[in-house]
């Protein structure tokens, strides 16, 4: 067991795309175990290999609720094979200590990956679950994309980053996501109407 150092926003490794894993070696197995230890130690829900200085397509997640048993999951060479719906998600990241902001996500995804034994599995993350958001967040890390790139409000995110003593947004990395934003706004209108009817 080892606790790894987590790269902070501003470290170039977080913007570097990761390589496929060709062999699930003892090194990769130890890396995954150490990543889980590091994630649990820091009360995180997920952690991707580039965050601990290793540009491999590997991430770990445990999205179990506090009153549920631990459910560590390892994703090797993951691919999101289906994404649908839209969701507003309030997220943070272990590479951005104490900073949180609203981002755009899909509400449902299906991911295919290998586990530590090299077995391929397909997982359907149900609409709006923490697991669904975590899969998208961690998968992005493997392509050098960060949660703040999905920000719904550039102004609010910049304020939050400044408050937490972090670097400002990197405008070149901001994602357009107009369709996703429109869908989220539609959902919010429906939710507000529902509230009024009570
Ligand atoms: Zn993250």
């Amino acid at each position: 067991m080892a606790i790894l150092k987590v790269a902070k926003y501003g470290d170039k490794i977080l913007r570097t795309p990761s390589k496929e894993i060709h062999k699930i070696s003892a090194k990769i197995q130890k890396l995954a175990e150490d990543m889980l230890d590091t994630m649990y130690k820091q009360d995180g829900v997920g952690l991707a290999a580039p965050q601990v200085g290793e540009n491999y397509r590997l991430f770990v997640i445990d999205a179990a609720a506090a009153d549920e048993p631990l459910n560590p999951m390892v994703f090797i060479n993951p691919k999101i094979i289906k994404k649908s719906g839209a969701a507003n998600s309030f997220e943070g990241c272990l590479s951005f200590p104490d900073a949180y902001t609203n981002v755009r996500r899909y509400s449902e995804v299906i991911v295919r990956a290998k586990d530590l034994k090299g077995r391929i599995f397909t997982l359907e993350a149900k609409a709006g679950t923490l697991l669904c958001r975590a899969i998208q967040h961690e998968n992005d890390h493997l392509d050098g994309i960060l949660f703040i790139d999905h920000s719904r409000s550039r102004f609010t995110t910049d304020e939050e980053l400044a408050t937490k003593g972090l670097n400002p947004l990197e405008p070149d990395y901001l994602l357009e996501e107009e369709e996703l934003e429109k869908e989220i706004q539609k959902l919010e209108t429906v939710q507000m109407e529902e509230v009024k009817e009570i």
Side-chain angles (χ1 to χ4, degrees):
M1 162 168 172
I3 303 300
L4 306 169
K5 188 169 178 282
V6 177
K8 296 289 177 301
Y9 179 48
D11 190 322
K12 280 201 178 65
I13 196 153
L14 295 176
R15 289 300 191 185
T16 309
S18 294
K19 322 179 270 288
E20 293 267 322
I21 292 171
H22 297 295
K23 182 172 182 276
I24 304 172
S25 59
K27 183 194 164 184
I28 294 293
Q29 295 197 6
K30 180 167 189 330
L31 175 62
E33 281 158 21
D34 290 347
M35 282 169 59
L36 281 166
D37 292 338
T38 306
M39 179 188 81
Y40 286 126
K41 180 92 198 302
Q42 304 222 10
D43 280 330
V45 173
L47 188 63
Q51 288 181 280
V52 294
E54 298 282 357
N55 275 119
Y56 289 115
R57 300 193 77 82
L58 158 68
F59 62 75
V60 297
I61 288 179
D62 188 335
D67 57 350
E68 288 171 353
L70 293 183
N71 183 24
M73 290 192 274
V74 177
F75 298 74
I76 294 171
N77 298 339
K79 291 229 166 23
I80 292 180
I81 54 174
K82 194 172 174 224
K83 45 194 183 186
S84 56
N88 176 25
S89 179
F90 195 62
E91 288 180 22
C93 175
L94 291 178
S95 296
F96 294 71
D98 303 322
Y100 298 88
T101 198
N102 265 309
V103 298
R104 304 178 196 102
R105 293 291 182 199
Y106 293 96
S107 64
E108 278 182 80
V109 297
I110 299 177
V111 64
R112 187 168 290 158
K114 278 185 183 175
D115 66 15
L116 269 181
K117 295 205 164 82
R119 295 174 299 209
I120 294 170
F121 66 94
T122 304
L123 178 70
E124 186 176 347
K126 294 269 181 315
T129 55
L130 178 58
L131 174 64
C132 184
R133 302 198 300 266
I135 289 169
Q136 294 173 74
H137 179 121
E138 301 311 330
N139 194 63
D140 271 352
H141 272 300
L142 308 184
D143 295 318
I145 299 169
L146 302 173
F147 78 116
I148 54 166
D149 303 340
H150 295 278
S151 286
R152 294 193 64 205
S153 162
R154 188 176 164 161
F155 177 75
T156 313
T157 302
D158 254 338
E159 248 190 358
E160 172 72 357
L161 293 172
T163 308
K164 302 295 153 57
L166 294 160
N167 290 352
L169 276 175
E170 297 167 326
D172 289 352
Y173 287 98
L174 278 175
L175 298 161
E176 290 280 344
E177 302 180 317
E178 279 171 31
E179 288 305 309
L180 213 44
E181 179 59 32
K182 261 188 238 164
E183 288 303 310
I184 295 170
Q185 286 181 8
K186 257 190 245 166
L187 292 174
E188 287 173 340
T189 311
V190 172
Q191 281 161 1
M192 278 173 66
E193 279 165 7
E194 280 169 2
V195 171
K196 270 187 241 152
E197 281 161 15
I198 293 170

